[in-house]
Amino acid sequence: MTPPRQPSGSESGSGNGRRPVPRGSAQSASGRSQPAKGQPARGQSAKAQPAKPQPAKAQPARSQSAKAQPAKSGSVGRTPRAPQQRRPEGRPPARSQAAVRPKGRPPLRPKALKLAEPKRRLRVITVVLSLVFSVFAGRLVQLQLVDADALAADANTNRYLNIPITAERGSITSSDGVALAATVDAYDITADPAMFTPEATGIPDAPEQAAALLSPILGVPKEKIAADLHTPKSRYKRLAAQQTPAAKKQISDLKSGLEKQAGSRACQAQKKLLGKPADQGGRTRVDNECANPLAGVFNRETQKRIYPADGLAANLVGFVNAEGEGAGGLELQYQKLLAGKDGHSSYAQSGGRLVPTAGGSMEPAVSGSDVKLTVNRDIQWAAQRAITDQVANSGAEKGYVVVQDVKTGQVLAMASAPGFNPNDLSLSKQAQLGNPALGDAYEPGSTAKLMSMAAVLDSGKATWDTKVTVPNRLVRAGQQFKDDVDHDTWYLTLAGVLAKSSNIGTIEAVETLGDGDQLKANQALDGYMRKFGVAAPTGLGFPGETPGMLKKPEDLVASEKYNISFGQGPMQMNALQATSVYSTIANGGVRVAPSIVQGVTDPNGTYKPSAPGEQTRVVSPETAKTLTSMLESVVDDEQGTGGKAAIPGYRVAGKTGTANRGAANGVGYDGYTASFIGFAPADAPRYTVSCTLQGPVNGHFGGQLCGPVFKQVMEFTLKTMQVPPSGSQAPNLTVDWKP
């Protein structure tokens, strides 16, 4: 501690010859450091005479009060000295503003600033920091707790792209496993519209520039592309579907070239100036050379449906639409099975590039199943060629051929003309895209007489050699009925009625079913027709298939009661139904439900065959055998109408059909339907072939127009399937008799 000051001798009077120093000056002087003894004072020359020693003023001890003590006896008569505040160590006291600086003395130091109270300053800082941290904490709570989910969703929406993964569509193959419809690699050209805004690209017309570049490659109008890109709220747009690998590569190369050009130093410098003030050299856009309008264009690997055989079996196989979904035929019927299950992939992107470390998710796609048909490619080709040629030669509106295995009910061919190429639907009319062999309901005409004869024989009302007298005209229900040609009275056996395709003879035969009661006769005939599958779905479930029509016996009026016996009027069938009638007789009287699908292979490679067609006995084996012999007379007998269907070496059973064709408006008739249906070999039947022509103009008789088609297709089928020739001769049933 500092010792107490001692009284100064200089303050006892003027004995030292010096005038007293003013109080303020003395107080100031006491606060300055005093030079050491024997050292010159600050501001004086070293040669200056040293100042006389000054007696030290009394200072209170540190342990004492800061209040000034009265001077001792040596200071009597002077005003007591004001108390001094305690100053921190090492800091000089503030200089008095009232001090008078003596002449010749060094200048006084400036007055030191008085610091604020530390505790008060600390409290203020604490309050301010508390307010700041409170704001930060509140915002943090809002971001992390209150708005966390919404903000995270927004961030993911802007950062992550969710891309669908299209499942590989299953194939449709022929019976030998060769693809009739297959899938190949293709690419969907997609875009992120948010990457085409002026802020993202640096140019105001990025959608228009991108559209101008893409339109010639994609074959899509540039106006449509630009419109799709002007939707920034949408993060995904498909600009074109199922593009070829060549188109995808062309776009990728173009995009890479633009990206390289936009990445130059000069272009990068322009981009850094975007959005800056004009006085700093800012820009509102970059030059076109520095923009990459294709930065937001991507490609997604997908598939394209192709048909390797072009139009082969197209009316049966069908086609897909622009989305790759089945839109017709079997493609539509088995859409769910063929399509499989799509997956999806989600990944983070920045500037159109994948961010590999940002994570993502993927649900793999499940491939579709393969559908194997019963169709034989070679037989389908032969049938399609034959009917196409005959439609052209006869001037018919259309025609169709069906080939069926009589034992299994499987369809080996179903050809229509005119057809279409599913690889390019733009070349075909809408009416050509269906399958008329299943979609057309028509009056079968004389081919339906087989069912009438089956009812008569199977019910025991007649035999093949029952004698029938056939006049030139027959009056029933006030109407005259006639045959296709005028003739004198014919004396025919029941086999002869079928061989010569007599309408009058058939009416007379059916009348025996009712024993004079026509309603009863029609009810018996109706029962057999329905067992043959008339007016019932075939079981294929094919899109657009018609079940046909058969009016109930109770609803038949006037001539309808008689027309129905020879396939006109109140009944309609499709081509497969008509074919199935003959297959039933060829199969010994047992109807096997038709089928078109042989089996399905699932995505795991497991093959599951289709269930066999349902079997229904329609007539007895004896009736079927007799009817087969009667049908052979149609082809072999010189009085028969089906001579053009004969095949050397094989016994053929069949029937011609020539029917009035219903008008398109449903009122009356317009033109003809010509047909021929038969099976071979007649001694051991294997296959049935039917031919139907709608609206021919160069002739109209079924034997003349469809007989040759039957022969061509059946002959090819027998050779393809390696069926040996018949080993016996036809029975040559007697067709007429003499009164």
Side-chain angles (χ1 to χ4, degrees), residues 468-483 487 502-509 511 518 562-563 565-566:
V468 181
T469 300
V470 182
N472 187 43
R473 295 289 188 270
L474 181 67
V475 178
R476 292 291 187 270
Q479 180 175 337
Q480 287 191 350
F481 290 88
K482 63 178 182 177
D483 293 321
H487 58 81
S502 172
N503 295 338
I504 295 175
T506 304
I507 292 175
E508 293 176 323
E511 287 179 331
Q518 192 59 37
Y562 306 96
N563 288 340
S565 64
F566 53 86

Side-chain angles (χ1 to χ4, degrees), residues 132-155:
V132 172
F133 281 117
S134 296
V135 173
F136 288 164
R139 182 60 174 164
L140 186 62
V141 170
Q142 180 188 12
L143 295 177
Q144 295 293 330
L145 298 179
V146 179
D147 297 337
D149 293 340
L151 292 173
D154 289 343

Side-chain angles (χ1 to χ4, degrees), residues 353-627:
R353 295 180 178 275
L354 173 68
V355 181
T357 60
S361 63
M362 184 181 73
E363 180 180 342
V366 179
S367 299
S369 299
D370 295 332
V371 177
K372 187 177 184 180
L373 305 184
T374 60
V375 172
N376 181 290
R377 280 186 311 126
D378 295 333
I379 297 175
Q380 177 71 29
W381 173 83
Q384 202 156 315
R385 183 184 63 174
I387 193 63
T388 299
D389 291 345
Q390 190 64 321
V391 165
N393 295 335
S394 66
E397 179 183 322
K398 54 187 170 181
Y400 17 90
V401 168
V402 177
V403 181
Q404 186 179 28
D405 187 316
V406 302
K407 300 296 183 182
T408 64
Q410 294 181 347
V411 175
L412 303 186
M414 186 176 288
S416 300
F420 66 94
N421 186 348
N423 289 314
D424 190 356
L425 298 178
S426 64
L427 301 177
S428 304
K429 298 178 181 179
Q430 181 66 31
Q432 298 174 343
L433 303 183
N435 187 352
L438 293 171
D440 283 0
Y442 60 92
E443 296 177 24
S446 294
T447 55
K449 291 174 182 175
L450 178 64
M451 292 184 285
S452 296
M453 294 300 171
V456 171
L457 291 174
D458 200 60
S459 61
K461 298 298 181 179
T463 61
W464 70 267
D465 57 353
T466 297
K467 297 177 180 179
V468 181
T469 300
V470 182
N472 187 43
R473 295 289 188 270
L474 181 67
V475 178
R476 292 291 187 270
Q479 180 175 337
Q480 287 191 350
F481 290 88
K482 63 178 182 177
D483 293 321
D484 59 338
V485 294
D486 286 332
H487 58 81
D488 295 331
T489 300
W490 285 340
Y491 300 97
L492 305 174
T493 62
L494 195 60
V497 170
L498 189 62
K500 294 179 73 70
S501 193
S502 172
N503 295 338
I504 295 175
T506 304
I507 292 175
E508 293 176 323
V510 170
E511 287 179 331
T512 64
L513 294 172
D515 297 324
D517 185 344
Q518 192 59 37
L519 176 59
K520 184 179 178 181
N522 288 334
Q523 288 174 337
L525 179 60
D526 181 86
Y528 277 95
M529 285 185 168
R530 294 188 186 276
K531 285 196 294 182
F532 274 110
V534 179
T538 61
L540 297 183
F542 194 86
E545 177 185 343
T546 177
M549 181 271 290
L550 181 60
K551 207 169 183 179
K552 294 181 179 179
E554 297 79 5
D555 298 331
L556 298 177
V557 295
S559 62
E560 291 179 343
K561 300 175 182 179
Y562 306 96
N563 288 340
I564 195 170
S565 64
F566 53 86
Q568 292 267 206
M571 70 172 301
Q572 293 179 343
M573 304 174 69
N574 65 42
L576 182 57
Q577 289 173 326
T579 305
S580 179
V581 170
Y582 283 73
S583 293
T584 299
I585 300 303
N587 193 39
V590 177
R591 180 181 184 272
V592 181
S595 61
I596 197 70
V597 175
Q598 183 172 324
V600 174
T601 302
D602 65 21
N604 297 322
T606 303
Y607 176 76
K608 182 179 180 181
S610 299
E614 182 181 356
Q615 298 188 11
T616 304
R617 175 159 293 281
V618 180
V619 297
S620 67
E622 294 76 19
T623 298
K625 184 177 181 181
T626 299
L627 288 169

Side-chain angles (χ1 to χ4, degrees), residues 656-715:
T656 60
T658 304
N660 292 313
R661 185 187 183 203
N665 59 8
V667 179
Y669 292 96
D670 182 17
Y672 294 92
T673 297
S675 60
F676 184 95
I677 309 176
F679 52 86
D683 52 332
R686 291 286 307 276
Y687 305 104
T688 300
V689 173
S690 69
C691 164
T692 307
L693 290 169
Q694 298 290 356
V697 294
N698 300 324
H700 64 274
F701 289 114
Q704 295 176 347
L705 297 179
C706 272
V709 175
F710 168 89
K711 176 183 178 181
Q712 181 179 344
V713 175
M714 178 62 83
E715 193 170 23

Side-chain angles (χ1 to χ4, degrees), residues 91-243:
R91 182 185 293 273
R95 298 177 63 183
S96 173
Q97 297 296 330
V100 179
R101 183 170 60 187
K103 295 182 180 181
R105 296 183 65 115
L108 299 177
R109 290 184 178 181
K111 182 178 179 179
L113 295 176
K114 185 177 181 180
L115 299 177
E117 185 177 355
K119 291 183 178 181
R120 182 180 180 185
R121 182 170 65 249
L122 183 60
R123 283 196 297 270
V124 172
I125 293 174
T126 301
V127 171
V128 172
L129 291 178
S130 298
L131 292 175
V132 172
F133 281 117
S134 296
V135 173
F136 288 164
R139 182 60 174 164
L140 186 62
V141 170
Q142 180 188 12
L143 295 177
Q144 295 293 330
L145 298 179
V146 179
D147 297 337
D149 293 340
L151 292 173
D154 289 343
N156 286 338
T157 299
N158 294 328
R159 184 183 182 191
Y160 284 87
L161 289 179
N162 191 23
I163 305 299
I165 302 176
T166 304
E168 182 176 353
R169 190 174 181 86
S171 299
I172 299 177
T173 69
S174 59
S175 60
D176 57 354
V178 176
L180 299 174
T183 299
V184 297
D185 290 338
Y187 298 88
D188 285 350
I189 305 302
T190 65
D192 180 357
M195 300 178 65
F196 289 84
T197 62
E199 296 78 12
T201 61
I203 54 176
D205 59 344
E208 286 72 22
Q209 290 194 30
L213 294 171
L214 295 175
S215 179
I217 302 174
L218 302 179
V220 179
K222 59 183 179 181
E223 293 80 11
K224 183 181 184 305
I225 297 177
D228 286 340
L229 298 180
H230 272 298
T231 55
K233 292 185 179 181
S234 171
R235 300 304 307 270
Y236 178 83
K237 281 288 185 180
R238 185 168 64 177
L239 305 181
Q242 300 179 347
Q243 296 297 300

Side-chain angles (χ1 to χ4, degrees), residues 268-285:
Q268 291 298 321
Q270 288 188 21
K271 293 177 182 178
K272 291 181 180 180
L273 296 176
L274 289 174
K276 290 188 176 182
D279 56 356
Q280 298 180 15
R283 301 174 64 101
T284 59
R285 59 163 293 166

